[in-house]
Amino acid sequence: MGIVRSDEHSDGAPTIEGTGIRVKDVAEAYEHSGYEPDEITQLYPDLTLADVHRALAYYYDHIDDFRSASSESAPA
């Protein structure tokens, strides 16, 4: 599985292929909620540990895109 983008799912946000789970959700669970990767697989049973690490790698590779997107959607 990989990371995919489709306008038909999650408004084109990067998701983990075959799951519909957004990379952003995995990253927020890890970065902001303090969950470890193996705990994230319990939150999202459709994900393997490899999926979680793949999502986190994608997030950190594209962190500027995620941060600019979140600042654009934040209320003024």
Side-chain angles (χ1 to χ4, degrees):
M1 277 196 235
I3 305 300
V4 297
R5 292 183 100 137
S6 171
D7 290 336
E8 297 174 12
H9 300 287
S10 302
D11 295 323
T15 60
I16 300 162
E17 186 176 13
T19 69
I21 299 169
R22 297 180 306 174
V23 168
K24 175 184 172 183
D25 295 330
V26 172
E28 286 178 352
Y30 179 74
E31 214 174 51
H32 300 290
S33 298
Y35 288 101
E36 293 296 323
D38 60 325
E39 294 172 315
I40 295 171
T41 63
Q42 294 171 20
L43 290 174
Y44 299 102
D46 289 340
L47 299 183
T48 66
L49 191 54
D51 293 332
V52 172
H53 285 287
R54 191 174 297 111
L56 291 173
Y58 183 93
Y59 173 76
Y60 287 112
D61 281 347
H62 299 89
I63 197 160
D64 291 336
D65 296 335
F66 282 97
R67 290 194 173 151
S68 66
S70 68
S71 67
E72 290 171 6
S73 63

